[in-house]
Amino acid sequence: MTDISQFQSRRDWLLSNQPASRLQARLGRAYMIWLNFSANRLALVGLAVILGLLLVALFAPWFAPRSPFVGDLANARLLPPGTDGYLLGTDSQGRDILSRLIHGSRLTLMVVVLVAIIAAPLGLLVGAVAGYAGGWIDAVLMRITDIFLAFPKLVLAMAFVAALGPGIENAVLAIAITSWPPYARMARAEAMGVRNSDYIAAVRLMGASPARIVIRHIMPMCLSSLIVRVTLDMAGIILTAAGLGFLGLGAQPPLPEWGAMIASGRLYILDQWWVATMPGIAIVIVSLGFNLLGDGLRDALDPREAGK
C-alpha cells in the first residue's frame, strides 16, 4: 500500500495544475505526453521496433553470428534459410544474410540520423526567417524552396549523387539537400502564426534583435511539429537511401546496405527468393515502425489530433 500511495502522490505532483517550479512544469508536461503516447498501442509497437533497431545496431558485432563481409563460396553459396545454421540463408557470395542485415542496421541508422541533423535545422531556420521577416526575404526563400519541391525527392537526390559521386557520404548529403524544404514550409507557417502575437511584440519592445527573436522565441515554437514531421519522414529517408543503394549510387560493395542487398539479389529472385526478400522485409518493418512512432508522437504532441 505504501508503494501505491507513493506512486499516486508522485502522479498527483506531476499532474498538478499549479506547478511550483519550472522543473515540475516540464516533468508534468513530459508525463502528459507519455500518457497520451502510451494510450496508442500501435505507437508502442513502433517504439518497440525502433528501440529494437537501436539495440541491434549498437550490439551488432555481438548479435551477428558471422562476418558480414566474408563468405564461403565453396560450401555456402545461395543456401536457403535454415540450412547449416544460416537462419536467413546466404547470398551469391556465400555470406550470411542475417549478419549482413544486422550490420546494415548501423548504416540505416547513420543515414537517418545524419539526414535529420542536417535537413531539419536547415529547414527550420529557413522557414522561421521567412515567416518572421516576410516581404522580399520571404519571397526569395520560398521560391528557392519551391524549386526543390518541384522535383521528386529521389530524382533530385540521384542528380546530386551523380554530380558528387557514388558513396554513402554523398548519398547522405544528397538526401539531406532534398529533405529540408517541407520543414521550411512547416516552420514558415508556424512563424507567420506567431510573429504578430503579443508576446513577440513584448520581446521586440524590450529591444531583442530579429535574430534573437527568431532563434530564441520562434524556432522553439516549431519544435513539436518538427519532431513529428522528422519522425514521419524517416521512413521516406530509409526508402530513398535504399533506392540509391539499389541503383548503385549509395553505399558501395561490400557494405551491407539493405538497398544494395536487394539489388544484388534481384538476379536470383525467382529461384533464390530469400536473397532479395529478407532485406526488403527489414526495410518494410523499420519504415512501418517509424510511421507508427510518428503517428503516436503526432497524437501526443498535438491534442487536437487525438480526437480525430
Side-chain angles (χ1 to χ4, degrees):
M1 295 296 293
T2 302
D3 294 339
I4 296 177
S5 62
Q6 288 180 350
F7 174 78
Q8 186 64 36
S9 63
R10 291 173 182 173
R11 188 175 187 276
D12 294 339
W13 182 79
L14 289 171
L15 299 179
S16 174
N17 293 326
Q18 296 178 342
S21 63
R22 289 187 177 181
L23 177 61
Q24 182 180 357
R26 290 171 180 172
L27 291 177
R29 171 63 176 164
Y31 184 65
M32 285 296 300
I33 291 174
W34 169 250
L35 289 179
N36 292 331
F37 179 84
S38 60
N40 188 337
R41 294 187 177 181
L42 290 178
L44 292 178
V45 172
L47 178 62
V49 170
I50 302 308
L51 290 178
L53 177 67
L54 291 172
L55 185 65
V56 168
L58 183 62
F59 297 102
W62 294 273
F63 285 163
R66 295 176 175 83
S67 170
F69 305 110
V70 180
D72 185 358
L73 278 172
N75 303 307
R77 184 175 183 271
L78 297 174
L79 293 180
T83 304
D84 295 339
Y86 294 96
L87 294 180
L88 299 183
T90 61
D91 61 9
S92 60
Q93 302 299 317
R95 297 171 296 194
D96 182 30
I97 292 178
L98 176 59
S99 299
R100 289 180 62 78
L101 288 179
I102 291 175
H103 282 270
S105 64
R106 289 186 160 187
L107 291 175
T108 299
L109 276 180
M110 183 191 74
V111 171
V112 167
V113 171
L114 289 180
V115 170
I117 290 175
I118 297 173
L122 176 61
L124 179 61
L125 179 62
V126 171
V129 170
Y132 177 74
W136 67 268
I137 297 178
D138 179 28
V140 170
L141 292 178
M142 286 302 101
R143 296 301 76 76
I144 296 174
T145 304
D146 290 339
I147 293 174
F148 282 87
L149 289 173
F151 299 92
K153 183 183 296 186
L154 180 58
V155 175
L156 193 58
M158 289 171 55
F160 280 114
V161 174
L164 297 173
I168 189 67
E169 298 85 0
N170 292 337
V172 169
L173 183 59
I175 297 172
I177 292 174
T178 61
S179 297
W180 66 267
Y183 308 140
R185 282 287 187 182
M186 179 205 66
R188 175 179 179 267
E190 297 264 0
M192 292 181 67
V194 300
R195 68 180 179 182
N196 295 322
S197 60
D198 293 338
Y199 83 92
I200 293 295
V203 172
R204 191 182 300 114
L205 289 174
M206 292 174 64
S209 64
R212 180 180 178 85
I213 293 175
V214 169
I215 296 174
R216 296 293 300 274
H217 300 282
I218 292 182
M219 290 177 64
M221 294 289 295
C222 307
L223 287 181
S224 296
S225 300
L226 183 71
I227 291 172
V228 174
R229 183 60 189 262
V230 169
T231 307
L232 290 171
D233 283 352
M234 284 181 176
I237 293 171
I238 293 173
L239 293 175
T240 303
L244 293 176
F246 181 85
L247 297 172
L249 298 175
Q252 300 299 299
L255 290 178
E257 198 274 327
W258 294 347
M261 291 175 65
I262 295 176
S264 64
R266 73 185 187 276
L267 299 177
Y268 313 97
I269 191 65
L270 295 180
D271 298 322
Q272 290 82 25
W273 54 268
W274 57 88
V275 180
T277 302
M278 297 305 177
I281 292 175
I283 292 173
V284 170
I285 292 175
V286 173
S287 299
L288 180 62
F290 275 117
N291 279 330
L292 294 177
L293 179 63
D295 287 339
L297 288 176
R298 180 191 59 197
D299 295 341
L301 295 175
D302 187 0
R304 293 173 298 179
E305 297 287 344
K308 294 184 179 180

